[in-house]
Amino acid sequence: MRLIKKIIIAETQKGLLFKEQQFLKILPAGVYRFWDWFDQYQVQTVTLTNTLQEEIGKDLLHLAQLHPDAFAEVMTQWETGEQEVGLVYQKNVLKDIKAPGQRGAYWKTQQEIHVDKLDISQDFTVPKKLAALLANAKEDMLRCAALRAIVVATVPENHLGFLTVDGETVATLKSGTHVWWRFNRNIAVTLFDSRLQNMEVNGQEILTKDRVSLRVNLSSTWQIKHAEVVKAELADAKDYLYRELQLALRTVVSTQTLDELLADKNSLNTQVLTIVAGKAAVYGIEVKTVGARDIVLPGEMKAILTQVVEAQKLAEANLIKRQEETQATRSLHNTAKVMEGNPVLLRLKELEILEKITGRINTLNVYGGLEGVMNDMVRLTERSR
C-alpha cells in the first residue's frame, strides 16, 4: 500500500481524477502528489490531439456529458438533430461535415474548433458559396465528407431537369449546377434534351399491298416541346417514338403497291409524318420531318424490275426512232411537192447535190460543156488519196 502517489501529466495531456471509480475533476499539465492511504484514487491521462480524425472516444464522451461543467473549459461538445447538418471549422476553415443525429466532442487546443449547424428540414439546397467550396475541396477529409453528404446535378444548356425527392417531383431545374444535402431523403434528377434530335428506324421488312417484300430505312427529326408532359406520361420518349414510327411505316406501306411507292416516295413520307405527328403531340413531342432514306427490294424482284425498266427504255427508243423516220419521210414528201411544179428549184437541188459529190473527187471529166453537165452526162472519176 502506497501512502503518497506521484502523478506527472505532460503538457499535451489532461488528467482525469477518480476516487473509488467516481469522477472528481480534470487535472491540467503538471506534477501531483497526494496521500492515498487506501488506494482510493486513480488518475487517467488522455492525450490532447489537434487532428479532427481522432475524435474523443465514446466512454470519455459519455463521461463529459455526465459532467458538462467540469469539461466545458477543456472540451467542445457538439450534437446534430435529426434534421441538422454540422459543419466543422478549425480556425475558421471548413474541415468536415457531420450527418444528422450524431454527437461528438473535440479537445480545446490552440487549433480552435467549432461546429455550425444547419437546419435542412425544409430547405435542403446547399448555398452556392458553400456548394462551390465543397465541390472544389482539396483536403481528403473534406472531399470524402462532401461525397457522402451532398448530391450534385448539372443541367446542360438547352436541357430541362426535374428534381424528384422520395419519388415526388418537387421542382423544375434550369441549366446550371445544383447541389442538395442528401441526408434523410432520396434525391434524383431527370434530364430532358430540348434540342432537335434525329432518330433512325432501320431495316424494316414490310409487305406491300401486292405482296412484295421490302426493306425500308426511315429517318426522322423530332423535339421535346413539353418536357413535363413527357415525364408524366412516358417512361421512355425515344422508345415510344421509335415504336410509333415503325407502326406508321408498316401501315402506310401495307396499303400501297410497289409501283405506287416507287412512283411517289414523298407521299410515303407525308403519310407517316401525319400519323406520327398527331400521336406524338399528345405527349409533348413535336415530330418535324420524316423521310424514307432507302427502299430496298429483294434480289429476285430487283432483277425483274431491271428487266422491266430495260424493256420500257427499249420501247421508248424504238418509238422515238419511228417518229424520227416518219418526220424525215414527211419532210421529203413536202420537198418533192414543192419542186414538182418548179423546175428552177429542182435544177438548184441538182446543182447542190452535184456540188457535194464533186467535193469528194480528184478528177472531173466534162463532155459537151456546161450543157453536157446539165443535160447530157457527167462522168466522175474518184481516185484514192
Side-chain angles (χ1 to χ4, degrees):
M1 181 175 62
R2 299 172 59 187
L3 299 180
I4 299 178
K5 283 187 177 180
K6 180 180 179 182
I7 302 297
I8 300 176
I9 301 175
E11 291 184 353
T12 59
Q13 295 178 328
K14 294 291 183 182
L16 307 179
L17 179 61
F18 295 86
K19 181 180 181 181
E20 295 181 351
Q21 303 299 319
Q22 300 299 312
F23 176 76
L24 293 179
K25 63 179 180 179
I26 298 176
L27 301 178
V31 178
Y32 298 90
R33 295 180 178 85
F34 49 88
W35 295 95
D36 191 3
W37 296 95
F38 302 103
D39 197 21
Q40 295 175 307
Y41 294 93
Q42 300 84 35
V43 176
Q44 176 185 345
T45 58
V46 293
T47 301
L48 308 185
T49 176
N50 291 331
T51 58
L52 297 177
Q53 292 88 342
E54 299 179 12
E55 292 193 41
I56 295 173
K58 292 183 178 180
D59 293 339
L60 185 56
L61 179 60
H62 180 64
L63 182 63
Q65 291 172 345
L66 293 175
H67 304 277
D69 294 337
F71 283 84
E73 294 184 1
V74 297
M75 186 181 293
T76 299
Q77 298 186 53
W78 59 268
E79 182 177 359
T80 55
E82 291 298 327
Q83 294 293 336
E84 290 181 331
V85 172
L87 302 179
V88 181
Y89 290 87
Q90 187 174 45
K91 298 186 70 173
N92 295 321
V93 177
L94 182 61
K95 296 291 185 178
D96 198 5
I97 301 172
K98 298 301 179 182
Q102 304 292 319
R103 63 176 56 183
Y106 298 102
W107 292 111
K108 290 183 178 180
T109 64
Q110 293 180 347
Q111 303 290 328
E112 180 186 356
I113 298 174
H114 68 275
V115 179
D116 291 344
K117 293 186 289 186
L118 297 178
D119 185 353
I120 61 171
S121 58
Q122 299 298 325
D123 185 7
F124 52 94
T125 302
V126 180
K128 287 187 176 181
K129 290 185 178 180
L130 179 58
L133 180 62
L134 297 178
N136 298 290
K138 297 181 180 180
E139 294 186 7
D140 292 340
M141 184 177 184
L142 181 59
R143 184 166 60 250
C144 293
L147 290 175
R148 296 189 299 266
I150 62 175
V151 176
V152 180
T154 299
V155 181
E157 289 187 5
N158 300 313
H159 285 67
L160 194 65
F162 292 93
L163 174 63
T164 302
V165 180
D166 297 331
E168 180 184 359
T169 301
V170 297
T172 301
L173 307 176
K174 297 182 179 180
S175 58
T177 300
H178 307 267
V179 185
W180 306 273
W181 298 110
R182 68 166 71 245
F183 302 115
N184 303 331
R185 50 185 56 87
N186 184 17
I187 296 175
V189 175
T190 305
L191 297 178
F192 289 91
D193 191 344
S194 58
R195 297 173 297 180
L196 189 65
Q197 302 181 63
N198 185 67
M199 178 170 291
E200 302 293 335
V201 182
N202 295 323
Q204 299 301 302
E205 296 284 348
I206 310 173
L207 285 177
T208 63
K209 185 178 180 180
D210 51 354
R211 313 298 294 176
V212 177
S213 177
L214 300 177
R215 187 168 71 251
V216 182
N217 296 323
L218 196 68
S219 180
S220 175
T221 57
W222 61 287
Q223 189 174 23
I224 293 178
K225 284 296 185 179
H226 304 287
E228 62 279 0
V229 178
V230 175
K231 183 181 184 303
E233 300 294 337
L234 299 177
D236 189 326
K238 290 184 178 180
D239 181 69
Y240 165 78
L241 186 58
Y242 183 92
R243 185 177 67 255
E244 291 299 328
L245 286 169
Q246 191 180 48
L247 294 175
L249 179 62
R250 292 182 178 277
T251 299
V252 174
V253 171
S254 63
T255 58
Q256 297 187 15
T257 65
L258 175 61
D259 290 340
E260 290 172 342
L261 290 172
L262 297 179
D264 188 4
K265 193 164 63 174
N266 288 330
S267 176
L268 168 66
N269 300 336
T270 302
Q271 292 181 64
V272 173
L273 177 61
T274 302
I275 294 173
V276 177
K279 293 182 177 180
V282 177
Y283 299 102
I285 299 174
E286 181 180 358
V287 181
K288 297 284 190 178
T289 62
V290 172
R293 292 187 291 105
D294 303 299
I295 299 179
V296 182
L297 297 170
E300 301 83 358
M301 182 57 65
K302 189 182 297 184
I304 294 173
L305 188 61
T306 300
Q307 293 177 3
V308 170
V309 173
E310 290 179 353
Q312 290 176 344
K313 295 303 179 182
L314 181 60
E316 291 176 2
N318 290 333
L319 178 62
I320 293 173
K321 183 178 180 181
R322 297 294 179 268
Q323 290 175 345
E324 291 296 330
E325 290 177 349
T326 301
Q327 184 67 27
T329 302
R330 184 178 293 110
S331 177
L332 288 174
H333 176 71
N334 293 335
T335 302
K337 290 184 66 176
V338 171
M339 292 181 177
E340 182 178 3
N342 195 331
V344 175
L345 286 177
L346 180 60
R347 184 56 58 89
L348 289 175
K349 188 65 175 178
E350 291 175 352
L351 291 174
E352 180 183 347
I353 295 173
L354 181 61
E355 181 181 8
K356 292 181 180 179
I357 293 174
T358 56
R360 301 179 56 188
I361 63 176
N362 290 328
T363 302
L364 174 64
N365 297 322
V366 179
Y367 299 92
L370 181 60
E371 186 67 21
V373 173
M374 300 301 298
N375 298 319
D376 231 338
M377 179 184 69
V378 176
R379 185 175 63 187
L380 306 175
T381 301
E382 181 177 0
R383 294 180 182 178
S384 59
R385 299 184 180 184

